[in-house]
Amino acid sequence: MSIQFIDLKAQYQHLKPAIDARIQSVLDHGQYIMGPEVAELEAQLAAFVGVKHAIGVSDGTTALQVALMALGVGPGDEVITTPFTFIATGEMIALLGATPVFVDIDPDTYNLDPALIEAAITPRTRAIIPVSLYGQCADFDAINAVAERHGLAVIEDGAQSFGARYKDRRSCGATTIATTSFFPSKPLGCYGDGGACFTNDDELARKMRQIRVHGQDRRYHHPVIGINGRLDTLQAAVLLAKLPTFEQELAARARIGARYNQLLGGVVRTQRLAEGCDCVYAQYTIEVDRREAVQAALKEAGVPTAVHYPVPLNLQPAFAHLNQPAGSFPRSEAAAQRVMSLPMHPFLDEATQDAVVEAVKRAIG
């Protein structure tokens, strides 16, 4: 049995007529940069999330940069975030000359622990970036309450959670600004790089729209310094073709994730869903002892795995200057030693899932 970690080919075959037609439409009109599909997609994304503004950008990392720039974050500022994430979260803070201030995670959800945030706030703190890891939203009510007390902005890094629900809101609709990624493997993915920023704030939306086109408010007029951060029309077209069936895929992800939980819950440690949250399972992640040996055994059995993420940001060489050695964030560091992601996508059938589960059981002995 050939098992795919993420089966994008199956998704394409399912949506082939719609995707092909959308791509052909762009090829026919030839507006490859900021064509009409970009604005059409932005309107649909904003409606889906339930916010006033969606701003398409070139990728999820750029989305974080645009959000931080719109808030005026720069040298001398501090931004609180988690060390248990992909480097882009901390990288964009540092790229703008600010300092990432790491706060440890809740070991059950792997998301930023709101109870630890207040102690990390200083007069230099400008924003908080919680990451909605593995497809489950961070605890926004608690995080927003801390931020409001201290006059701080909150930026959700929703690169893995687009489509998830937090109580009565969607991911990307519960903070000052939110960002997401449309990298091909994400719950809603395009066929290259893509991303978006979301906000209900008219002024922040205006700034972000300017920033993504070199700080331009009209042709060849640049009130602010910006970047080249536009979303390609072809990628917008692919996303438009995928959106009509996205809710169905989210339901499939929820069903498959719940079945994994049922089959593996007594065997390995699994991510806990917080009250009022669901999960879109951008990754289905478990914790195991002897991870390298387990991964080797699964590879031998034809089951692909991945680790998200093996090195917390405080231990990355790029952040060595922050002087936060091993032991600084024990929950994140412990998770980084034990987490492992299994095959997960909306087209994973029960027979294949059963084979994965049986292989996991054999591998852990």
Side-chain angles (χ1 to χ4, degrees), residues 36-175:
E37 285 80 1
V38 174
E40 182 183 356
L41 175 68
E42 290 173 338
Q44 291 194 26
L45 292 175
F48 177 84
V49 170
V51 296
K52 290 171 66 176
H53 304 284
I55 300 97
V57 295
S58 56
D59 55 81
T61 303
T62 297
L64 286 167
Q65 182 181 1
V66 169
L68 287 163
M69 290 175 71
L71 292 170
V73 172
D77 294 333
E78 295 176 350
V79 178
I80 292 170
T81 192
T82 166
F84 191 55
T85 180
F86 183 57
I87 195 168
T89 315
E91 182 182 39
M92 289 302 98
I93 298 167
L95 186 72
L96 293 174
T99 300
V101 175
F102 299 127
V103 167
D104 217 344
I105 58 171
D106 176 326
D108 294 325
T109 66
Y110 305 105
N111 285 329
L112 195 65
D113 187 341
L116 303 178
I117 293 174
E118 203 134 22
I121 294 173
T122 76
R124 296 166 60 184
T125 308
R126 291 291 305 278
I128 304 168
I129 304 182
V131 177
S132 297
L133 203 67
Y134 301 147
Q136 179 180 199
C137 289
D139 188 351
F140 294 126
D141 284 352
I143 294 168
N144 288 341
V146 174
E148 187 172 352
R149 284 198 297 272
H150 294 270
L152 303 175
V154 179
I155 304 171
E156 179 193 4
D157 182 341
Q160 298 180 14
S161 60
F162 191 75
R165 289 193 178 274
Y166 175 80
K167 301 182 180 180
D168 59 345
R169 288 157 284 174
R170 289 272 193 192
S171 173
C172 296
T175 54

Side-chain angles (χ1 to χ4, degrees), residues 10-336:
Q11 184 193 50
Y12 173 62
Q13 289 305 316
H14 182 67
L15 298 173
K16 188 177 189 303
I19 292 172
D20 288 356
R22 278 288 190 173
I23 290 173
Q24 188 61 53
S25 178
V26 177
L27 296 175
D28 288 342
H29 68 56
Q31 298 177 55
Y32 301 114
I33 303 296
M34 298 299 286
E37 285 80 1
V38 174
E40 182 183 356
L41 175 68
E42 290 173 338
Q44 291 194 26
L45 292 175
F48 177 84
V49 170
V51 296
K52 290 171 66 176
H53 304 284
I55 300 97
V57 295
S58 56
D59 55 81
T61 303
T62 297
L64 286 167
Q65 182 181 1
V66 169
L68 287 163
M69 290 175 71
L71 292 170
V73 172
D77 294 333
E78 295 176 350
V79 178
I80 292 170
T81 192
T82 166
F84 191 55
T85 180
F86 183 57
I87 195 168
T89 315
E91 182 182 39
M92 289 302 98
I93 298 167
L95 186 72
L96 293 174
T99 300
V101 175
F102 299 127
V103 167
D104 217 344
I105 58 171
D106 176 326
D108 294 325
T109 66
Y110 305 105
N111 285 329
L112 195 65
D113 187 341
L116 303 178
I117 293 174
E118 203 134 22
I121 294 173
T122 76
R124 296 166 60 184
T125 308
R126 291 291 305 278
I128 304 168
I129 304 182
V131 177
S132 297
L133 203 67
Y134 301 147
Q136 179 180 199
C137 289
D139 188 351
F140 294 126
D141 284 352
I143 294 168
N144 288 341
V146 174
E148 187 172 352
R149 284 198 297 272
H150 294 270
L152 303 175
V154 179
I155 304 171
E156 179 193 4
D157 182 341
Q160 298 180 14
S161 60
F162 191 75
R165 289 193 178 274
Y166 175 80
K167 301 182 180 180
D168 59 345
R169 288 157 284 174
R170 289 272 193 192
S171 173
C172 296
T175 54
T176 317
I177 303 175
T179 67
T180 197
S181 168
F182 301 126
F183 187 79
S185 62
K186 302 300 184 186
L188 180 64
C190 56
Y191 288 167
D193 279 312
C197 300
F198 300 85
T199 189
N200 281 313
D201 187 302
D202 295 341
E203 179 62 15
L204 287 174
R206 184 188 65 79
K207 288 180 179 179
M208 289 190 286
R209 291 186 192 282
Q210 286 185 8
I211 290 166
R212 71 168 172 182
V213 286
H214 302 283
Q216 179 175 275
D217 63 351
R218 59 185 185 272
R219 192 166 177 82
Y220 299 131
H221 187 262
H222 308 265
V224 297
I225 297 296
I227 60 173
N228 181 8
R230 303 166 300 207
L231 177 66
D232 287 343
T233 308
L234 280 167
Q235 302 304 342
V238 171
L239 293 167
L240 283 166
K242 289 188 175 189
L243 266 175
T245 59
F246 185 50
E247 291 272 22
Q248 297 171 32
E249 291 194 6
L250 292 177
R253 285 179 175 276
R255 183 182 69 251
I256 294 163
R259 191 166 186 269
Y260 262 139
N261 288 339
Q262 179 184 9
L263 296 172
L264 289 171
V267 179
V268 296
R269 181 180 171 93
T270 61
Q271 181 186 27
R272 178 181 65 83
L273 293 188
E275 186 177 352
C277 289
D278 64 12
C279 188
V280 297
Y281 295 106
Q283 289 86 25
Y284 184 83
T285 301
I286 61 176
E287 286 191 35
V288 295
D289 297 321
R290 304 179 299 106
R291 182 174 63 200
E292 288 187 5
V294 172
Q295 284 190 284
L298 288 170
K299 183 178 181 181
E300 184 71 20
V303 177
T305 60
V307 177
H308 306 95
Y309 296 93
V311 183
L313 298 193
N314 61 298
L315 300 182
Q316 291 287 355
F319 291 121
H321 63 283
L322 297 178
N323 298 315
Q324 294 172 326
S328 298
F329 304 99
R331 297 170 180 177
S332 297
E333 292 165 30

